[in-house]
Amino acid sequence: MNREETMPLLDDQPPADTSYSLRQFLIFLIPSLLGVLLFLTPIVYEEKVTIGLGVMADALKAAVSDQLPAIATALLLVSAALGLLGSLLKPKWLTERRALNDLFVLHPLWLGLRVLGALFAAMTFWQFGPEWIWNANTGGVVLKDLAPVLITFFLVAGLILPLLTDYGLMEFIGTIVRNVFRKVFGLPGRSAIDAIASWLGSGTVGVLITAQQYQKGFYSARETAVIATNFSIASIAFSLLITSFMKLDHLFVPFYLTVVVAGLAAAIITPRIPPLSWKKDDYVAGVGKQIKEDVPAGTSLLRWGVLQAVRRANANPSPAQMVKIGVHNVVDIWLGLLPLVMAIGTVSLAIAEFTPIFNWLSYPFVPLLEALQLPEAAKAAPAMLVGFADMFLPAVLGKGIESELTRFVVACVSLTQLIYMSEVGVLIIKAKLPLNLLELFAIFIIRTLITLPIIALMAHWIVG
């Protein structure tokens, strides 16, 4: 390799004639290594398994924890006020700036949800209005538990996510594992990064990565829908929390092994049946297909992967521009996503807490659970569905089940369902991914029906 030559950044250049300088290689290597260290390297911190991103977000959260509910309320009120101003009055200073126009000139549905989210936040913070809104188990959960995590996690993640996605790491990994992911999951190899980031960090980070890759033309509509609903897996840290809460700590290793096996089975089967199998391999209009993981004849996987990675890294905007993009992403999440989480999350939790709807819907699961020889089937059945509202709710309902076998199954199923409207589901809809609410619920049910028998079988073998 001639290190004095500059590598052309065009995909039609034959690989045999392509070279790059040491400087260009380091532009790929250094940011990508930082991304791996912060997003993909598990560390033990304060006796829990986490990642560098998690440590940074937790430190920020601890520093301002008392103020975060007030900060969240203020952000939601500002979001609603500017949304009303931009959507109803449309002042030129706002509509003529694309970033502001995208944030505050809204469809009536999104405007209504944004105003509702702000109203719910204010009612919860100052505790006025109907109690079902500001109750500790409804609006209180969203404003005091979910919102602080989202504010701090996405502040850090939004600013440093380009290290993982925009400096060639996804091109490199995608090329190396392309054949496996294509054959097993029907997906590009770069989706492995989504899965690893979710596994070690947070499912919301996985969805955020997926959304960005879709908008940039690296995933088709079908691939985006599959990845967002099958690879944004629950993190190890959250899994540890669930096992501790449900008194299954002593079974964590076989517990997580069960989650992995059932999750892989669902990731293989779910994309091959409707509604995911109906999705088309269309790319975002005006962007088109940007991904190239095919390896030219006579070129090794490793060499081609490095070439693609270096090209990608050196075609990026300047660091200052990347920071500007990161700040915009953070503001978009704070002012665009938080209100939806507050509105939809509060309503979902209220339905689960104060109505028998999930109990009614779960009746068909009772004979299924009995057929799987699980004790206390009637108590466990609602936990099979309530996870659609929030991933933690099955654990809340299942904690009182006496049978360790059934608690084991409830906990595992809750982690393999993946789609919950209080956070991930809202993010999927807000990011304009090619999925609607009905499809999300259908996929949630399909994943439940696929993973439940596998988990029950393994639970009988593990727990007895």
Side-chain angles (χ1 to χ4, degrees), residues 390-401:
D390 184 80
M391 187 179 273
F392 196 66
L393 284 178
V396 174
L397 293 183
K399 184 180 181 182
I401 295 173

Side-chain angles (χ1 to χ4, degrees), residues 397-416:
L397 293 183
K399 184 180 181 182
I401 295 173
E402 293 183 9
S403 168
E404 185 174 76
L405 171 66
T406 305
R407 289 203 314 275
F408 185 95
V409 171
V410 168
C412 287
V413 170
S414 73
L415 293 182
T416 58

Side-chain angles (χ1 to χ4, degrees), residues 68-128:
L68 281 172
I71 292 171
T73 303
L75 286 171
L76 267 65
L77 291 172
V78 168
S79 173
L82 291 176
L84 287 168
L85 178 67
S87 302
L88 301 180
L89 300 181
K90 295 183 171 62
K92 286 186 178 180
W93 64 266
L94 191 149
T95 56
E96 291 178 354
R97 292 172 172 82
R98 183 177 176 182
L100 294 178
N101 185 81
D102 291 345
L103 274 174
F104 303 119
V105 179
L106 306 167
H107 182 280
L109 173 62
W110 300 119
L111 177 62
L113 286 172
R114 189 172 291 196
V115 171
L116 193 64
L119 182 61
F120 283 178
M123 294 169 75
T124 302
F125 186 74
W126 286 292
Q127 294 194 354
F128 68 91

Side-chain angles (χ1 to χ4, degrees), residues 262-263 265-266 412-413 416-417 446-456:
C412 287
V413 170
T416 58
Q417 291 170 323
I446 289 167
R447 290 188 60 86
T448 303
L449 294 175
I450 291 171
T451 59
L452 176 57
I454 297 171
I455 290 169

Side-chain angles (χ1 to χ4, degrees), residues 27 151 240 249 347 377:
I27 289 175
I151 289 172
L240 284 165
D249 313 59
V347 172

Side-chain angles (χ1 to χ4, degrees), residues 408-440:
F408 185 95
V409 171
V410 168
C412 287
V413 170
S414 73
L415 293 182
T416 58
Q417 291 170 323
L418 300 189
I419 301 163
Y420 51 106
M421 292 309 299
S422 64
E423 193 174 332
V424 168
V426 176
L427 181 55
I428 288 173
I429 293 173
K430 169 65 176 64
K432 298 179 181 178
L433 302 191
L435 290 160
N436 58 44
L437 182 61
L438 184 60
E439 288 173 330
L440 288 177

